[in-house]
Amino acid sequence: MTRTTVLQNKTLSVIDFRCSAGPDDKPFIEQHRCHSLSYVRKGSFGYDTNGRSHELVAGAVMIGHQGDDYVCSHPHHVCGDECLSFWFSPETADEIGLDKKTLRLGSMPPLPELMVCGELAETARRGDADIGIDEAGILFAKRFIDMTTGVSRKPLKATSPDRRRAVETALWIEANSSREIDLPGLAKRAGLSAFHFLRLFSNVLGVTPHQYLVRSRLRHAARLLSDDARPITSIAFDVGFGDLSNFVRTFHRAAGISPGRYRAMARGDRKIFQDRLQDYPAG
C-alpha cells in the first residue's frame, strides 16, 4: 500500500491510496482515523465493518466512521485498487451533515451522481481542473449527502454583510494571488467555517475561491507575458504557480494557445492572431 497526501489542513485531508494486494495477501484489522469518504477509481476490494461485508468496485464509495474497525481484502481481484480518500475533521463532518447513521452505511454502489463528482475530484487532484481539491472534496461530500438523505440544502441567501465579506475576500485574493492561499485561511479571514465560506463565496460571485485565485494568477500572467521580457518559467512562479507544467496546461486550457504563442501574438505576430480567428465559425 502506498499513500500520498494530496492536501492536509484543519478542514480536511485528501489522501491518494494505491494498493497492490491480491487474493494471497492476508487481511488485517485497521481503524478509521477520521470520518471519511473514499472514491474507488480503479480495481475492487472487500470491506468488512460493523458486522457487514461490502464488495466495492470502481465508482463505488467506501464510507468510514472515525474510530470504527474495518478489514479490507482482495479475494476476487489480483491487481489491487486505487482510491481517492477525503478525511473530514469532526467539525467539518458535522457542519456538512455527515451524521453517525450515514457514516455507518459502509458503502455506496457506483452511482452516476457520485461518479461524476468523484471524477471531478480526480481531475482536480491531477491539476487539470480550475477548482481546488478541497472544494471538489466538499462538493463530493455534499452530493453524497444529497443521495443518502434525499434532501438538498436550500440555496444560501446572502445578506448584505455576507456579500461584503465575499467581495472583500475577492479583493484580498486579487491583491495577494502570488502568495500561497488555501480555503481554510480564506475562511478564517472572513470569520466563517470553510464550508459556509465556500457556499457564500460561490453564491455571491459565481465562482469558487480557488477558481477566482487561479483566474487572478492567469490574468497577471497574461499581462506579464505581454509586457515583460522575463522567461515564462519566471513569470509562472512569480504569479503564484508552483509548477511550470501546471501553469502551461492551465494557461493553454484558458487561452487556447500556449503561453509562448500568446506572448508572440501579444507582441504583434499577426499570423497567430489570424489563426485564432479561423477557429471561430462565421456568424
Side-chain angles (χ1 to χ4, degrees):
M1 168 79 76
T2 61
R3 51 174 289 175
T4 303
T5 300
V6 180
L7 174 76
Q8 185 171 22
N9 58 44
K10 293 181 180 179
T11 301
L12 81 160
S13 296
V14 183
I15 316 294
D16 182 37
F17 286 100
R18 298 170 187 245
C19 179
S20 58
D24 296 332
D25 291 284
K26 185 177 180 180
F28 55 92
I29 297 175
E30 302 178 74
Q31 188 176 78
H32 288 293
R33 302 181 189 178
C34 302
H35 299 321
S36 63
L37 299 174
S38 299
Y39 174 67
V40 184
R41 67 168 179 261
K42 184 177 180 181
S44 70
F45 60 96
Y47 173 55
D48 296 348
T49 185
N50 295 315
R52 297 178 60 192
S53 297
H54 309 262
E55 294 292 341
L56 282 79
V57 296
V61 179
M62 183 178 82
I63 309 167
H65 181 278
Q66 184 176 8
D68 284 0
D69 293 337
Y70 69 98
V71 174
C72 288
S73 58
H74 297 77
H76 313 301
H77 195 70
V78 297
C79 298
D81 62 89
E82 296 181 8
C83 295
L84 188 62
S85 185
F86 302 95
W87 294 5
F88 300 93
S89 70
E91 296 78 14
T92 301
D94 183 62
E95 185 175 24
I96 292 175
L98 289 170
D99 58 28
K100 182 176 180 179
K101 181 179 179 181
T102 302
L103 286 166
R104 284 192 164 139
L105 290 173
S107 69
M108 289 289 283
L111 299 176
E113 297 86 349
L114 295 178
M115 292 169 69
V116 293
C117 289
E119 288 303 319
L120 177 62
E122 176 62 15
T123 301
R125 179 194 69 82
R126 296 195 305 267
D128 293 333
D130 66 349
I131 69 169
I133 186 63
D134 46 0
E135 296 172 347
I138 291 175
L139 175 64
F140 183 75
K142 182 183 181 301
R143 193 61 176 141
F144 168 81
I145 293 164
D146 291 345
M147 298 305 300
T148 53
T149 64
V151 178
S152 298
R153 287 179 179 263
K154 294 181 179 179
L156 182 68
K157 292 184 178 180
T159 64
S160 180
D162 285 338
R163 290 179 176 277
R164 187 180 304 112
R165 277 194 181 115
V167 170
E168 288 177 350
T169 304
L171 293 173
W172 187 89
I173 292 173
E174 169 65 19
N176 296 275
S177 59
S178 62
R179 297 170 53 176
E180 185 174 337
I181 298 173
D182 62 15
L183 182 61
L186 291 173
K188 185 177 181 180
R189 289 187 62 84
L192 300 170
S193 69
F195 177 58
H196 185 65
F197 171 73
L198 174 58
R199 294 181 69 214
L200 171 68
F201 192 98
S202 302
N203 177 269
V204 172
L205 298 178
V207 293
T208 70
H210 186 80
Q211 285 175 327
Y212 188 74
L213 171 63
V214 171
R215 291 168 193 184
S216 292
R217 289 172 173 170
L218 286 173
R219 190 166 65 83
H220 292 311
R223 183 180 302 161
L224 291 174
L225 286 168
S226 301
D227 302 335
D228 199 300
R230 280 177 295 168
I232 291 174
T233 300
S234 178
I235 289 175
F237 292 147
D238 284 351
V239 300
F241 285 92
D243 178 80
L244 178 60
S245 62
N246 182 40
F247 168 67
V248 172
R249 185 169 56 246
T250 304
F251 192 94
H252 194 286
R253 188 167 62 240
I257 55 178
S258 69
R261 285 175 63 80
Y262 178 89
R263 167 175 269 175
M265 183 176 70
R267 295 183 178 184
D269 189 327
R270 296 189 60 81
K271 185 177 186 308
I272 297 176
F273 181 73
Q274 291 164 353
D275 288 346
R276 294 297 296 142
L277 288 177
Q278 297 305 314
D279 293 339
Y280 295 94

